[in-house]
Amino acid sequence: MTGLPDVEKPEATVLVVDDDPDLLQSLRVLLEAYDYTVIMAANAAAAIAAVSEQQPDLVLTDIYMPDADGFELINALRQHNLNVPVVAMSGGGRVGGYDNLSVATHLGAVAVIDKPFSNASLIETIERVLSGQKTDR
């Protein structure tokens, strides 16, 4: 007996993908406060490797990142049959006249969230996706 309290297994593992290190760290602190295990990746290539190796329960990805963006990440996950639910986040923008989060949904994201978002709305979105409910923006 160690004298330490029993620790429950985290609810789920979330891979957070964003090129902003400050946002990555903030999301890590938030998600860990809700007992999620957090994996972080700064780009799509690192995210694909993390999904293959660590098999997260959910991917939370930014859309606009250098090198490979969130659209490419969603496509790569689907092409490699890595069936992990994706939540796309973005601060706005358009692709070919369409809202980029609508494009992310069309490509396979199961939920989207506009930046800036509240902590509560992010946690609610993640919990809905992990419980198998599709979410609307």
Side-chain angles (χ1 to χ4, degrees):
M1 177 174 269
T2 64
L4 297 174
D6 288 337
V7 177
E8 291 184 31
K9 185 176 185 229
E11 185 173 323
T13 299
V14 177
L15 169 61
V16 181
V17 188
D18 201 298
D19 61 313
D20 179 343
D22 293 333
L23 182 59
L24 272 177
Q25 187 60 28
S26 294
L27 290 172
R28 177 181 168 185
V29 169
L30 171 66
L31 294 172
E32 286 179 346
Y34 282 85
D35 294 327
Y36 291 104
T37 298
V38 179
I39 305 165
M40 298 187 301
N43 57 53
I48 292 166
V51 169
S52 297
E53 294 168 12
Q54 300 182 37
Q55 302 175 345
D57 299 295
L58 181 139
V59 173
L60 173 64
T61 186
D62 189 22
I63 294 296
Y64 292 111
M65 297 177 287
D67 300 323
D69 60 26
F71 300 129
E72 293 171 271
L73 173 57
I74 295 167
N75 278 330
L77 291 172
R78 300 304 171 242
Q79 288 174 356
H80 291 93
N81 291 319
L82 299 170
N83 294 320
V84 57
V86 175
V87 175
M89 56 183 173
S90 180
R94 301 184 81 68
V95 176
Y98 295 96
D99 172 331
N100 61 25
L101 291 176
S102 296
V103 173
T105 301
H106 178 73
L107 293 174
V110 297
V112 295
I113 190 163
D114 290 294
K115 288 181 181 178
F117 46 78
S118 69
N119 291 348
S121 66
L122 177 63
I123 295 301
E124 180 183 330
T125 299
I126 289 171
E127 288 177 355
R128 281 189 198 167
V129 170
L130 289 172
S131 70
Q133 299 174 21
K134 232 175 156 151
T135 62
D136 296 320
R137 201 164 42 152

